[in-house]
Amino acid sequence: MLREKRVHPRYSHDEFALLTTAARLSRMPVGGYVAETSLAAARSDDPAAAVADYRATVKALMAANGRLAQVGNNLNQLTRHLNQDGPWPEADLVRRLLSHIEASIDGVDVAVAQVTSGR
């Protein structure tokens, strides 16, 4: 389908940063992300709810991304400690860390599935 109509939205620096992050997480160019999400809302029976759902999903992705960064930092610290021939950490600590990693990955997987299914 040939798209002949254009709109030219303007964004603040912070808003554009949010769009860029959401588009990157969705593996889409920013323009494509803006087009797809706005069309998904427009096609919805309740456009306001559709926009709120996307916003909540993007926030969930950003929060999960932050948690995964923290977990990665913890893993780097643990690896450095183990490479220095320090004593092995308590098994319970390792289990809790791995559980946190799995929960974070699950959260990202759910959010990504929501974003990608909305295309």
Side-chain angles (χ1 to χ4, degrees), residues 32-55 115 117-119:
Y33 179 81
V34 169
E36 291 298 324
T37 56
S38 61
L39 286 171
R43 291 178 183 130
S44 173
D45 291 336
D46 186 354
V51 170
D53 287 347
Y54 273 107
R55 183 175 290 159
V115 169
S117 69
R119 286 195 219 176

Side-chain angles (χ1 to χ4, degrees), residues 21-69:
T21 299
R24 180 177 39 82
L25 291 171
S26 300
R27 295 186 177 117
M28 297 176 71
V30 174
Y33 179 81
V34 169
E36 291 298 324
T37 56
S38 61
L39 286 171
R43 291 178 183 130
S44 173
D45 291 336
D46 186 354
V51 170
D53 287 347
Y54 273 107
R55 183 175 290 159
T57 300
V58 170
K59 284 183 179 182
L61 279 170
M62 293 173 75
N65 187 43
R67 286 192 308 272
L68 286 173

Side-chain angles (χ1 to χ4, degrees), residues 68-80 97 100:
L68 286 173
Q70 292 171 345
V71 169
N73 185 41
N74 289 343
L75 285 173
N76 285 337
Q77 291 175 11
L78 178 60
T79 301
R80 183 177 64 240
L97 180 59
H100 185 65

